[in-house]
Amino acid sequence: MSAPLDIDQLHTFIAIVDTGSFTKAADRVFKTQSAVSMQMRRLEERIGKQLFAKDGRGNRLTAEGEKLMNYARRIIRLNNEAIAAFDDNRLEGTLRIGTPDDYADRYMPEIIGRFAKTHPNVELYIVCEPSASLAEKMNRGDLDIALVTHNPRARSSDVVRTEPLCWVASANHPLKDDAPVPLAVGRRDCHWRQLACSALDADGRDYQVLFTSWSSTVVAAAVLAGMAVSVLPESALRTGMKVLTAADGFPPLPPVQIGLMKRPGLSPSLVNAITDHITACLDNISPMAVVDEMDSDVKTFPKMPRLRAGHMLPGW
């Protein structure tokens, strides 16, 4: 019978992927860099495939490494759930989590479901507000964790997901070519709105903001009704929406990022527990299917690798 995969090696492998380097991973898993390298050599020998390839001064995952990463996260998550099920010293208390409503709608069901199974004695208190408001609550100590738009110019957060930002319109209502672009966007401090307006300004495209709301439900309704164009991250696309590209006269937009804010002084065990669930759940999110009017086929978009720093992700 084949020998099972080593859990410790998988932990180290995930740490390398999450931190982007062997050196940082060594600090995270409390090992020397040589020990981390040895673990990865042994893991590659066990898999029989090369997991990393040289990329300049650093390393990148090979196709086999990407494939193993998905299995590794699932194995570690299931292992943690099994251990927690027999733990007499389970985590207890209340965890106050903040998230914009669009993130709550798309991401929170799986996060909450998995966390509740693993830590049934922890009460989750969820607040849905725009990222700027959540950052203020974090600064006041009113929240423990916040899933926000990563915007290093406005607040500090750890990047947990990166994906494309898309122009979207109704797949069933054509736009008028000779009219200013009708926009449905967030409030003035919404970074998605700022990116959209800046891109149209730079492109010399006329536009008019017709709908303003911090609620993603309201904005999506305006789009689906054929009344406006908006910008949404890939994972938030809905059936009935059409992605607009340069062929439709819309300039490209930078990728966007979701960040995680953590209250200083929060129990490390509680932070690690919820952070692991959030990271794993966001990695499992698949792009929504949308309809392209040109050929009526269902389209999906490939998941982008998570960037470690740099770009920003807005929220409503």
Side-chain angles (χ1 to χ4, degrees), residues 107-125:
Y107 307 134
M108 293 307 291
E110 184 179 358
I111 293 172
I112 292 173
R114 289 188 177 276
F115 188 82
K117 287 181 181 178
T118 309
H119 307 286
N121 294 329
V122 177
E123 177 187 356
L124 297 180
Y125 177 78

Side-chain angles (χ1 to χ4, degrees), residues 8 11-13 15-16 19 21-37 39 268 272:
D8 191 44
H11 266 297
T12 302
F13 175 64
I16 294 171
T19 62
S21 79
F22 279 54
T23 302
K24 293 179 180 178
D27 292 336
R28 175 176 290 192
V29 298
F30 305 106
K31 299 182 187 298
T32 63
Q33 185 173 347
S34 60
V36 166
S37 299
Q39 279 194 311
N272 292 336

Side-chain angles (χ1 to χ4, degrees), residues 92-208:
E92 296 182 351
T94 299
L95 187 63
R96 302 166 301 173
I97 304 175
T99 175
D101 72 325
D102 45 345
Y103 297 170
D105 180 59
R106 186 72 176 112
Y107 307 134
M108 293 307 291
E110 184 179 358
I111 293 172
I112 292 173
R114 289 188 177 276
F115 188 82
K117 287 181 181 178
T118 309
H119 307 286
N121 294 329
V122 177
E123 177 187 356
L124 297 180
Y125 177 78
I126 311 296
V127 174
C128 291
E129 292 185 15
S131 292
S133 298
L134 295 175
E136 292 176 1
K137 287 183 178 294
M138 288 292 298
N139 291 335
R140 294 197 303 265
D142 295 338
L143 294 174
D144 300 312
I145 294 285
L147 198 62
V148 299
T149 294
H150 179 68
N151 184 347
R153 288 185 292 187
R155 52 191 162 268
S156 177
S157 62
D158 297 325
V159 176
V160 290
R161 181 176 173 87
T162 298
E163 58 183 304
L165 182 66
C166 308
W167 293 102
V168 293
S170 170
N172 302 310
H173 303 82
L175 293 172
K176 296 180 180 179
D177 295 332
D178 57 345
V181 178
L183 291 180
V185 288
R187 295 183 294 189
R188 291 187 180 276
D189 60 353
C190 168
H191 192 59
W192 291 353
R193 171 175 175 157
Q194 294 167 2
L195 287 177
C197 293
S198 295
L200 291 174
D201 286 336
D203 205 47
R205 188 84 185 267
D206 291 334
Y207 61 90
Q208 181 180 6

Side-chain angles (χ1 to χ4, degrees), residues 239-288:
T239 301
M241 290 182 176
K242 170 189 168 90
V243 173
L244 303 171
T245 65
D248 303 295
F250 285 82
L253 295 165
V256 295
Q257 293 179 315
I258 295 175
L260 190 64
M261 299 181 70
K262 293 170 277 191
R263 178 175 63 81
L266 187 64
S267 165
S269 57
L270 201 54
V271 169
N272 292 336
I274 189 63
T275 299
D276 288 346
H277 280 278
I278 289 174
T279 302
C281 290
L282 294 184
D283 277 339
N284 288 336
I285 292 292
S286 299
M288 296 288 285

